[in-house]
Amino acid sequence: MGRFSLEQSWEILKTYFQSGESSTQTVRNLRKKFDKKDVPKTQFVDQFVKRVRETGSLLNKTTRVRTRPVRSTENIAAVAQSVREQPSTSTRHRSQELNISRTSLRRILHKDLGMNAYKVQLVQELKPHDHLMRFRFAQWAEDRLIEDEHFYRKIIFSDEAHFHLGGYVNKQNCRIWGSENPHVIVEKPMHPQRVTVWCGFWSGGIIGPFFFSKMSKETPLQ
């Protein structure tokens, strides 16, 4: 129905009523007014007149199909179930599995499910006897502060960076989705194969840095 102009559509409708509302006679009369290739068929005339009576318009108004929103109830439920089953799956893999764009997936996670991405915490593995040692050290430090109020100036703070020869958990690439922080902890061995860089500082300045390997703990690397 979309191949006729507005003027042609009006001529078809006018001719139809002038022809006694007969589609066959309308086609015959239109052969005198239209080019041979433009003359409509009787089936078209019937459908055209019916549409004009229903819509009250000569224009062929196409019905727009409303696209289904990505953040639908079904998609939100699917994302929620996916997170429950595999909370540590990345948004890239999850969007591929659910056939949802990463942008829409993030909106569902944040706005609809109220979830955030939490990092895995890396902590030093504690042995059973370590808890007692820490408690004793805390008591000892408290006693020293009572004896000398400037004792904290004599404390050396130190830290180290480990270059592992084996695998380790990369906190930047690991996320766990959930409405609450799951407080996931990954324990690491106390002495893995690695090279360690140690540095300390206190009120008098910086100490180090020093480099150590597991094969030679007593002698710093040059």
Side-chain angles (χ1 to χ4, degrees):
M1 293 185 186
R3 66 188 181 92
F4 294 101
S5 65
L6 183 61
E7 292 77 9
Q8 289 174 326
S9 298
W10 167 248
E11 191 64 37
I12 293 172
L13 184 64
K14 182 176 69 173
T15 304
Y16 175 79
F17 286 104
Q18 291 175 348
S19 303
E21 299 186 16
S22 170
S23 58
T24 302
Q25 188 61 38
T26 299
V27 172
R28 291 174 183 172
N29 294 335
L30 288 174
R31 288 173 182 168
K32 303 175 184 178
K33 303 178 181 180
F34 287 8
D35 292 337
K36 184 177 181 181
K37 62 179 181 179
D38 293 332
V39 177
K41 298 183 182 299
T42 56
Q43 182 181 3
F44 173 86
V45 174
D46 291 334
Q47 294 177 352
F48 172 72
V49 173
K50 179 180 178 181
R51 178 175 59 80
V52 172
R53 284 173 171 166
E54 291 176 349
T55 63
S57 174
L58 294 175
L59 300 176
N60 183 16
K61 296 180 180 180
T62 57
T63 303
R64 293 184 179 181
V65 179
R66 189 174 182 180
T67 58
R68 191 176 185 183
V70 177
R71 290 169 60 189
S72 62
T73 304
E74 293 78 6
N75 284 343
I76 294 174
V79 173
Q81 181 178 357
S82 175
V83 173
R84 285 194 299 268
E85 294 176 353
Q86 296 178 325
S88 59
T89 300
S90 65
T91 55
R92 179 169 62 87
H93 290 160
R94 200 184 304 279
S95 66
Q96 293 173 353
E97 293 175 356
L98 300 177
N99 195 24
I100 300 175
S101 67
R102 293 184 70 181
T103 301
S104 298
L105 177 62
R106 291 192 183 99
R107 289 175 180 171
I108 291 175
L109 289 168
H110 288 295
K111 297 184 178 180
D112 298 313
L113 298 178
M115 295 183 176
N116 296 293
Y118 296 98
K119 296 181 181 180
V120 173
Q121 300 181 35
L122 300 181
V123 298
Q124 181 176 319
E125 180 183 8
L126 294 178
K127 301 298 183 180
H129 65 277
D130 292 335
H131 299 280
L132 180 60
M133 294 177 61
R134 287 194 169 193
F135 178 73
R136 290 176 177 174
F137 174 80
Q139 287 184 320
W140 175 85
E142 184 178 13
D143 294 338
R144 300 292 78 76
L145 286 171
I146 295 175
E147 297 174 357
D148 182 2
E149 62 178 356
H150 299 294
F151 175 74
Y152 64 91
R153 295 182 179 177
K154 304 174 183 178
I155 298 176
I156 297 177
F157 298 91
S158 65
D159 199 0
E160 64 278 340
H162 307 295
F163 295 86
H164 296 264
L165 301 182
Y168 67 100
V169 177
N170 188 340
K171 295 192 296 181
Q172 300 301 325
N173 296 336
C174 185
R175 297 290 187 274
I176 298 178
W177 288 92
S179 56
E180 297 180 0
N181 191 340
H183 300 289
V184 174
I185 294 175
V186 176
E187 293 186 348
K188 302 187 301 180
M190 181 66 73
H191 301 294
Q193 291 184 341
R194 65 194 178 190
V195 173
T196 301
V197 181
W198 182 93
C199 183
F201 70 94
W202 65 308
S203 61
I206 299 176
I207 305 174
F210 298 101
F211 298 85
F212 301 89
S213 67
K214 187 175 180 181
M215 299 301 296
S216 178
K217 295 182 181 179
E218 298 180 355
T219 304
L221 296 177
Q222 300 298 325

